[in-house]
Amino acid sequence: METRFKTLREFPLDEYLSPGATMCAGCGGMIVLRIFHKALGGNVVIVNAAGCLTLLQVYPYTPLKSSWMYTAFASAPAGAQGIRDALDILMEKGKLPQGEDLKVVVLTGDGAAYDIGLQSSSGAIERGLDFYYLVYDNEAYGNTGFQRSGATPFGSSTTTTPPTNLNPAGYSGMKKDLFEIWRSHNPPYLATIAPSHVVDMLRKIETASGFRGPKLFISLSPCPTGWGFDPSETIKLSRLAVECGVWPLKEAVYGKVRHTVVPKVLKPVEEYLRRQNRYAHLFTPTRQEEAINFIQEKVNEYWLKVSATEGHEVIKPINLAEKQTE
Ligand code: SF4
């Protein structure tokens, strides 16, 4: 399919999110929502699972020009099903013209997507619900004080996984692979996106809109408040996550995976980690070589597998052994 998004020149100019929302400055999730809405246009109803972005709406004010419904953590896909069914029934009875149909979008943080609402999203995918599911993944429970979630990566310090004598590296578990959990359901469309890669994101939303059924997007959402960085660095961090290979950009159409941005040479993960206070304990007061190497090796393993399965010759992961003898 020929894309209408070739460069940033095609970035849609219409705005559906007014300035002045009561969110943290530099919130990656807000940037993604703004771009996502531009790509979908104005005929949208947002079903918002409890999380940071529910604070967009402080009654009676809203920065959104689209319709919006708030649900509990666990039930946004069920809310989306109710709205989709109501729209379909109204159109079938001729009470709503086809041209006034709405795109149903679940908007959720990682807490609802990876943990509390996983059951209801699994059910919605299984039922083939025609909806968009957008996760702004800031890798912790942001609006309740940055507690660990199922999306928290190894080594991150959160308020429930601080570095201790027993676990000096901070969180000792691994981030769930939500992309693969969803892919096992075989939805028509599934993608990862990042606020730094706008054209990539617009193209993916455009591709997804050609499918009826579940269309799922997981976006890295740098969080200045929880990750500990200056709000002006949101896009820089997002770009670094992609360039270091920590946040692979990919899509899957009926389960077939393709990476849409392939770094020629991966930057060391250290460049990404060092810019965030949540990883500061890996570098001071003493450098935790083993933990840093472990994170790098996991990234290397991932990209070596991608090279082998997709035939990219260009990815050169960092060889830590060589790097240390330089
Ligand atoms: S805590 Fe993080 S994710 Fe939540 S609104 Fe603030 S910057 Fe955004």
Side-chain angles (χ1 to χ4, degrees):
M1 182 180 84
E2 179 74 9
T3 177
R4 74 183 167 105
F5 300 116
K6 295 200 171 72
T7 65
L8 270 179
R9 271 195 285 269
E10 287 83 42
F11 188 62
L13 296 179
D14 290 336
E15 293 288 352
Y16 301 98
L17 193 58
S18 310
T22 54
M23 311 302 294
C24 308
C27 173
M30 279 285 284
I31 298 170
V32 170
L33 175 60
R34 176 174 170 243
I35 301 168
F36 208 85
H37 214 322
K38 279 171 172 281
L40 289 184
N43 282 358
V44 162
V45 52
I46 292 176
V47 185
N48 203 164
C52 278
L53 294 195
T54 44
L55 301 174
L56 277 171
Q57 318 276 334
V58 182
Y59 181 81
Y61 304 105
T62 172
L64 284 165
K65 292 185 184 164
S66 49
S67 305
W68 181 86
M69 184 173 91
Y70 169 66
T71 71
F73 264 115
S75 50
Q81 179 81 58
I83 292 178
R84 186 63 265 160
D85 289 350
L87 289 166
D88 288 343
I89 291 166
L90 286 173
M91 284 190 295
E92 201 180 301
K93 289 186 173 173
K95 293 186 175 173
L96 183 73
Q98 296 284 342
E100 289 182 25
D101 190 15
L102 298 175
K103 294 171 179 134
V104 181
V105 179
V106 165
L107 176 65
T108 168
D110 49 285
Y114 285 70
D115 300 334
I116 305 169
L118 189 53
Q119 179 193 24
S120 62
S121 51
S122 172
I125 304 169
E126 199 180 318
R127 292 192 302 277
L129 175 62
D130 185 26
F131 76 137
Y132 295 80
Y133 188 97
L134 173 61
V135 187
Y136 55 97
D137 182 357
N138 73 341
E139 305 188 317
Y141 286 84
N143 69 327
T144 51
F146 209 68
Q147 295 87 0
R148 184 201 74 82
S149 77
T152 301
F154 172 87
S156 172
S157 170
T158 69
T159 47
T160 47
T161 60
T164 60
N165 286 344
L166 208 56
N167 285 312
Y171 181 49
S172 57
M174 303 297 289
K175 183 182 178 86
K176 281 184 201 170
D177 192 342
L178 192 61
F179 187 91
E180 285 302 315
I181 293 171
W182 279 344
R183 195 163 77 92
S184 70
H185 293 65
N186 203 27
Y189 193 80
L190 168 58
T192 56
I193 52 179
S196 50
H197 289 67
V198 175
V199 176
D200 179 75
M201 190 192 311
L202 292 171
R203 281 185 191 165
K204 285 171 172 168
I205 299 163
E206 181 187 43
T207 305
S209 62
F211 295 101
R212 194 169 167 81
K215 299 168 272 284
L216 312 160
F217 292 82
I218 314 170
S219 180
L220 181 69
S221 299
C223 165
T225 320
W227 296 11
F229 65 87
D230 189 276
S232 64
E233 299 233 310
T234 301
I235 297 301
K236 193 180 280 179
L237 260 180
S238 167
R239 190 170 299 285
L240 260 182
V242 175
E243 291 172 349
C244 295
V246 172
W247 191 261
L249 290 174
K250 55 188 170 181
E251 64 183 359
V253 175
Y254 288 108
K256 188 167 172 33
V257 181
R258 181 179 79 91
H259 284 72
T260 55
V261 175
V262 179
K264 282 194 178 9
V265 179
L266 293 175
K267 288 187 175 172
V269 290
E270 196 171 329
E271 284 190 33
Y272 173 68
L273 305 177
R274 270 190 177 280
R275 288 180 172 270
Q276 306 168 57
N277 284 345
R278 65 176 172 152
Y279 294 114
H281 57 282
L282 298 181
F283 301 98
T284 54
T286 48
R287 185 180 166 87
Q288 297 193 44
E289 205 65 56
E290 203 180 320
I292 299 166
N293 286 354
F294 178 75
I295 297 170
Q296 182 68 66
E297 276 160 14
K298 286 286 163 203
V299 170
N300 291 357
E301 273 173 25
Y302 178 89
W303 285 101
L304 285 172
K305 214 158 112 192
V306 171
S307 287
T309 52
E310 292 184 23
H312 302 293
E313 293 169 11
V314 284
I315 305 161
K316 292 191 187 133
I318 305 298
N319 183 324
L320 287 177
E322 272 175 25
K323 197 165 174 274
Q324 280 157 12
T325 53
E326 275 170 7

